[in-house]
Amino acid sequence: MGKVLIAIFDDKEETTFDELLSFLKSKSHIKVLNTFPNDSYLRYDNLMIDAKYRMVERDGESIELTNYEFEILHLLAQHPGQVFSKEQIYNQVWKEPYYGAEDNVMSLIRRIRKKIEPDPAKPIFILTVWGVGYRFNPHVARQTI
């Protein structure tokens, strides 16, 4: 039998924890059996969203998103399957009353799709629910990190 390592880190030592975990995982003879999931990451198939560092990657390639694009993507990805109206998206992302600003939301969804979807004309991540709003595809495989 091998040895077991249990380590406790403060929140301000998260970088040290991440570095140690990466180092341990890089060693083929060391098995990391279980870690607590990192709540700042959302990973769906080949799409990774890191809320802490506000980064998005698809197939390992960094994708540049504006603040509003990131906020919309993160909101939808946090709640796969839940349908959000344009008004709900606007109120949560802009944090101000809607006043019929649906063009803003539609335009940003279109821009997000161009950046994250393999084929924006046939989206697999952000789906339109006609007459209602948008939702993140609940059938895209979510992976824990």
Side-chain angles (χ1 to χ4, degrees), residues 12-71:
K12 58 188 166 201
E13 299 172 309
E14 190 167 341
T15 301
T16 305
F17 173 78
D18 291 342
E19 290 170 356
L20 176 61
L21 192 58
S22 293
F23 171 77
L24 293 173
K25 287 180 176 181
S26 73
K27 303 298 179 187
S28 61
H29 62 281
I30 296 177
K31 302 295 179 219
V32 177
L33 299 177
N34 196 4
T35 61
F36 293 102
N38 185 336
D39 291 336
S40 79
Y41 289 106
L42 296 172
R43 184 179 294 274
Y44 293 95
D45 286 346
N46 60 349
L47 182 70
M48 188 277 299
I49 303 164
D50 182 345
K52 180 177 178 181
Y53 295 103
R54 301 185 68 79
M55 294 175 27
V56 176
E57 292 181 357
R58 188 184 78 214
D59 295 325
E61 297 287 325
S62 181
I63 297 172
E64 295 295 323
L65 296 178
T66 66
N67 183 51
Y68 288 134
E69 290 169 348
F70 183 88
E71 290 295 328

Side-chain angles (χ1 to χ4, degrees), residues 3 13 16 39 46 63 72 74 82 91 99 106 118 125-126 132 136 141:
K3 296 179 181 170
E13 299 172 309
T16 305
D39 291 336
N46 60 349
I63 297 172
I72 291 171
H74 189 246
Q82 182 177 339
N91 289 340
Y99 299 124
M106 290 170 28
F125 294 111
I126 298 177
V132 182
F136 198 87

